[in-house]
Amino acid sequence: MEDTFIQFKKPSYPINKALFEYLERFDRISKVSICYDDLLRFSGAINVYDKEDNDTLWARVFYNEFERNEIDLNLKKIYSLLHSDGNSDILKFLNVDAIDYCTFGNSKPFRIKVRNILNDNYVHFYIKKADASRIYGLELEHILSPDKINFLVYEDTLIEEHIIGIPGDVFMDTLLKNCTETEKAQIAKEFVKFNERCMIRLLGDMRAYNYVIVPIHDFDQVVYKIRPIDFDQQCYEGNFKVYRPQFFKENYPMVRLVKEKLQESSIEQYKNEERAVLAKRILSAETRIKRILKILGQDNIAPEEHITQLKMDLYKYTNDLNFKNAKKMGNVLSAAFRFVTRNYKNTNLFKPGF
């Protein structure tokens, strides 16, 4: 179990023209003119505590009256764009209950709580500085996952919907011990699949607080799914282990569960199942995948030394020359997708390796 192999804070990469045009083509550009920097002009803040009076590392921010009215209106419009068709008729039924700011992590997001005053239902969404790596990660999650993601971009601002679930670290600390043995085995299976999915699509830094556990009630059982919630480390790090959640010490309870509950043959079966599912999704969305990979293959979202290290790690892992010949991170990801789909098409079985 590794202590840490992410040694430096990842820089933010700008959205290039080709990516912006792609986002426009797929209706990801916000029509509401609010920027991340607008929200930074708060006049005061108080710490936010959870039910056990622990500091959440979020601060509830406040604005002067004139700015708050304008900000509230734009935030309601963003809600409408994310969750309906942008219809302004619903704005009068919405209230912005809270704007919270977090200085923890790379993105330093604002978390917005919007409530429907007719029934008191509420949702959250986030406003962050736009980063090309994160946008690629969100788009790939939207295409390749059964769970679609709504997000919008306005100039250098990113707006993300909230992904519902129990943070992985909270689940392991408080709920995992109360699960039945059958449920623990099912969670172990899901972690194997999650590990495989992150590895193939090069989504890194899936420590316990960067994904959520989603319990789903199905007849007489509870089924658990795992979803990533942080896409900052899409195709950035050079160390291959960063893309495999099993190597983070924060995930040790999950790794131990896999060892206790699953035989080696079952682990291989679940890996193959996940590769097959991913291959089918890649092939079914082939045109859109090719479009985003072409843009990613020409973008600079990682240092040269990271690209060199990762492509050689993957070449040693798979013996596939496509990795060795990659020039950009987008080429490395393309090689991973080709490897998976080629094996699926040729044999429907996966050889040892990737």
Side-chain angles (χ1 to χ4, degrees):
M1 200 64 50
E2 296 279 348
D3 283 333
T4 181
F5 29 76
I6 299 178
Q7 299 180 1
F8 303 103
K9 183 177 178 179
K10 176 189 159 297
S12 180
Y13 289 91
I15 303 171
N16 66 24
K17 182 181 178 182
L19 179 55
F20 190 87
E21 290 174 350
Y22 172 94
L23 295 170
E24 201 166 32
R25 162 70 177 79
F26 290 100
D27 203 25
R28 296 292 197 189
I29 301 301
S30 173
K31 303 176 181 67
V32 179
S33 56
I34 189 168
C35 297
Y36 176 88
D37 289 346
D38 294 335
L39 298 181
L40 286 174
R41 298 198 301 267
F42 51 85
S43 56
I46 58 172
N47 291 342
V48 177
Y49 296 89
D50 63 18
K51 293 178 181 177
E52 282 74 41
D53 282 333
N54 298 312
D55 192 344
T56 64
L57 302 179
W58 290 84
R60 186 144 300 162
V61 298
F62 305 98
Y63 301 84
N64 65 53
E65 186 176 352
F66 173 75
E67 287 198 321
R68 179 67 194 231
N69 290 337
E70 183 181 0
I71 287 170
D72 277 13
L73 177 60
N74 283 328
L75 293 177
K76 291 174 188 177
K77 289 179 179 178
I78 288 172
Y79 169 92
S80 180
L81 283 174
L82 281 175
H83 297 283
S84 64
D85 56 359
N87 190 339
S88 61
D89 290 345
I90 68 170
L91 300 185
K92 59 181 176 289
F93 303 121
L94 303 177
N95 187 71
V96 179
D97 279 7
I99 302 174
D100 298 333
Y101 178 56
C102 182
T103 57
F104 177 76
N106 281 346
S107 61
K108 296 183 179 178
F110 284 93
R111 180 178 63 197
I112 317 300
K113 179 181 178 181
V114 178
R115 178 172 54 90
N116 185 315
I117 61 177
L118 295 179
N119 51 35
D120 275 346
N121 285 333
Y122 63 87
V123 299
H124 292 97
F125 61 86
Y126 300 88
I127 295 181
K128 309 172 180 179
K129 273 285 188 183
D131 170 46
S133 303
R134 186 181 296 275
I135 290 170
Y136 287 123
L138 284 164
E139 184 64 14
L140 287 167
E141 178 72 8
H142 179 79
I143 298 170
L144 297 176
S145 166
D147 306 295
K148 302 309 177 186
I149 290 184
N150 288 326
F151 70 93
L152 296 167
V153 173
Y154 178 78
E155 295 181 354
D156 64 347
T157 297
L158 173 63
I159 303 152
E160 287 181 40
E161 73 172 351
H162 174 66
I163 297 174
I164 295 173
I166 305 163
D169 54 343
V170 175
F171 183 86
M172 285 183 258
D173 288 343
T174 62
L175 299 174
L176 182 57
K177 61 181 178 290
N178 297 322
C179 292
T180 66
E181 296 308 306
T182 301
E183 289 170 346
K184 287 178 180 177
Q186 195 267 327
I187 292 167
K189 166 188 170 182
E190 285 302 312
F191 186 77
V192 169
K193 291 191 169 190
F194 178 66
N195 190 76
E196 198 73 8
R197 191 159 66 246
C198 293
M199 179 184 72
I200 293 170
R201 56 162 289 192
L202 299 182
L203 178 61
D205 194 18
M206 282 298 110
R207 283 175 276 193
Y209 48 78
N210 286 333
Y211 60 83
V212 292
I213 312 294
V214 185
I216 302 170
H217 292 264
D218 179 34
F219 293 106
D220 58 348
Q221 65 174 335
V222 179
V223 177
Y224 295 87
K225 300 294 182 182
I226 303 179
R227 292 188 64 183
I229 58 172
D230 192 324
F231 303 91
D232 183 64
Q233 290 279 349
Q234 176 68 52
C235 296
Y236 173 73
E237 289 288 344
N239 190 334
F240 182 36
K241 288 182 177 179
V242 174
Y243 303 101
R244 305 173 74 185
Q246 70 188 77
F247 287 108
F248 286 101
K249 62 177 182 172
E250 294 88 348
N251 293 328
Y252 179 68
M254 289 293 195
V255 175
R256 185 176 58 205
L257 205 62
V258 171
K259 290 179 179 178
E260 291 174 354
K261 295 297 178 183
L262 302 180
Q263 297 180 2
E264 194 63 36
S265 58
S266 295
I267 293 173
E268 288 304 311
Q269 174 196 338
Y270 297 141
K271 286 181 179 180
N272 287 340
E273 286 179 6
E274 191 60 30
R275 293 174 195 173
V277 168
L278 269 177
K280 290 176 182 177
R281 289 178 185 148
I282 291 167
L283 292 170
S284 66
E286 191 170 11
T287 301
R288 189 162 177 172
I289 286 285
K290 283 182 176 178
R291 192 188 295 253
I292 192 69
L293 287 179
K294 181 179 179 181
I295 298 167
L296 183 52
Q298 297 169 345
D299 206 348
N300 296 309
I301 60 166
E304 284 295 325
E305 58 268 26
H306 287 193
I307 300 168
T308 301
Q309 181 186 1
L310 182 60
K311 73 179 187 179
M312 293 311 297
D313 281 356
L314 285 167
Y315 171 65
K316 291 172 186 175
Y317 193 64
T318 64
N319 292 319
D320 188 330
L321 281 171
N322 285 319
F323 289 109
K324 192 174 183 179
N325 296 330
K327 304 296 183 187
K328 300 277 190 180
M329 275 297 190
N331 307 137
V332 179
L333 187 60
S334 294
F337 286 178
R338 285 200 300 273
F339 187 95
V340 170
T341 55
R342 185 171 64 245
N343 278 283
Y344 174 74
K345 284 179 178 178
N346 290 345
T347 63
N348 277 349
L349 296 171
F350 292 92
K351 301 171 185 176
F354 199 64

